[in-house]
Amino acid sequence: MEKRIAIIGGGIVGATAAYYLSTLPGSEQTKVTLFDDGTGQATTAAAGIISPWLSKRRNQRWYRLAKAGADLFPELIHDAQLGTDVYQQTGTIVTREVPTDLETLFDLAQERRHDAATMGTVTTLNAAEVQAKVPLLSRAQPGVFITGGARVDGAALVSGLLAKATQKNLTIRRERVSLDAQGQVLTSLGARQFDRVIIAAGAWLKELVAPLGINAAVRPQKGQLIELAVKDYPLNENMPVVMPEGERDFVPFGHGKLIVGATHEDDGKFNLAADPAVTADLLGSAQRLMADVTADNITGVRVGTRAYTADFAPFFGPIPDQEKFLVASGLGSSGLTTGPQVGRLLAGSALYGGTPDWSEYELPLTTYLTSSAE
């Protein structure tokens, strides 16, 4: 008997779930429909850094999830036959000005290498060595270089995964939908019933699950980044990503393209308008590390909406007592790192059912989802 699954939200979680729902055993008996109008999606506005190993976060569940996501990426990119324009292990450089801080960072990297083979090799670089690897920088800082770090183009990743899934069992509907109290998906063509519904709509989860009598403790946050046209270095198209101390992240994509950002604007909420003051702040960060960069170098501004929880931790899985619905939200600024692992887990749960134990990655869902009657 054919199983019908809906996915609401086509960002990193929804797209990865759709891909695995088209490839996992049993997918040949599954029909998947993805709904997304594209408005405000964090993934397509992001150019991400896959390098969670030196994070200052103390949340070990988050770290295990992020590490699993980083480990999954090479396999996912290979299996989906996506190219280096989507994902590239260029390495990442995390800088520190104070020598003792650099030593502490290096020691942490060495410690975490023991159970994170994807990290590759770890070395310290002086400022001149950093500049040699990233000649865009005219004011380089010393740092720790991790060869396994990577950059990913969120929009290209989502597009590639969805294209693969549509070749098998996925239909994409570019529209905004809602749910009713009976759990039906309300579409432009009327109400539709599905066997399972994956709700991967980020900060919009709150309004989607409200008709089910559920309050989701998640809030929106605005993120903005800029694209710059910079000098091209034909012999060095795969420069490492740089995470400079006290500045915005630098994500070189080769061929004279550089991404700088992104911001974390709690007051911005669902506002998708580019803020000139924020653009100027991002440009200022670039100018402090690069010579001769002006506003004329800006070729684009991207704005998206992230989802956050009070403890900055993600949550995902079947809704307690309403297992037909699976949710994911709260991924924040690490969504491109953690999202593929979350999407893969949700796809398996939607296909095979059961009560998965994901406590190694998250707190109980009741931490974030409560009955609105309470």
Side-chain angles (χ1 to χ4, degrees), residues 29 54 118 137 175 206 225 228 230 293-294 296 309 325 333 336 353 373:
Q29 299 297 321
L54 300 186
T118 311
L137 301 175
E175 64 173 291
K206 190 177 185 72
L225 55 76
L228 296 171
V230 294
V293 174
T294 71
D296 292 337
T309 58
F325 299 95
S333 59
L336 281 174

Side-chain angles (χ1 to χ4, degrees), residues 358-374:
W358 294 329
S359 57
E360 65 176 312
Y361 297 138
E362 62 174 344
L363 293 172
L365 259 66
T366 49
T367 307
Y368 313 98
L369 302 178
T370 56
S371 171
S372 55
E374 294 178 0

Side-chain angles (χ1 to χ4, degrees), residues 25-166:
S27 62
E28 61 278 359
Q29 299 297 321
T30 304
K31 183 176 181 180
V32 183
T33 305
L34 184 145
F35 300 94
D36 192 318
D37 67 355
T39 301
Q41 187 187 102
T43 303
T44 54
I49 303 170
I50 309 303
S51 188
W53 307 287
L54 300 186
S55 171
K56 294 180 180 179
R57 291 199 194 191
R58 297 180 180 178
N59 185 332
Q60 288 303 303
R61 291 184 179 88
W62 174 87
Y63 176 69
R64 286 191 289 267
L65 179 63
K67 186 169 74 70
D71 290 344
L72 178 62
F73 251 105
E75 173 189 325
L76 173 62
I77 297 299
H78 175 269
D79 292 349
Q81 299 178 318
L82 303 179
T84 55
D85 57 326
V86 175
Y87 170 86
Q88 178 74 20
Q89 283 188 320
T90 56
T92 52
I93 299 173
V94 183
T95 72
R96 291 290 185 271
E97 287 280 15
V98 179
T100 53
D101 291 345
L102 192 65
E103 292 172 9
T104 300
L105 194 67
F106 179 74
D107 291 343
L108 175 62
Q110 292 288 66
E111 176 187 333
R112 289 188 167 172
R113 277 190 70 237
H114 294 307
D115 63 350
T118 311
M119 283 182 68
T121 60
V122 178
T123 55
T124 56
L125 304 175
N126 60 36
E129 290 169 328
V130 170
Q131 189 169 23
K133 288 188 176 294
V134 190
L136 287 172
L137 301 175
S138 56
R139 302 179 185 90
Q141 304 165 324
V144 172
F145 178 50
I146 303 171
T147 60
R151 54 117 174 104
V152 59
D153 186 317
L157 175 61
V158 164
S159 177
L161 293 174
L162 293 179
K164 293 295 181 180
T166 54

Side-chain angles (χ1 to χ4, degrees), residues 299-323:
T299 57
V301 179
R302 305 185 199 173
V303 182
T305 303
R306 307 185 190 97
Y308 271 91
T309 58
D311 61 359
F312 301 99
F315 62 91
F316 54 94
I319 295 178
D321 302 320
Q322 299 193 55
E323 286 79 8

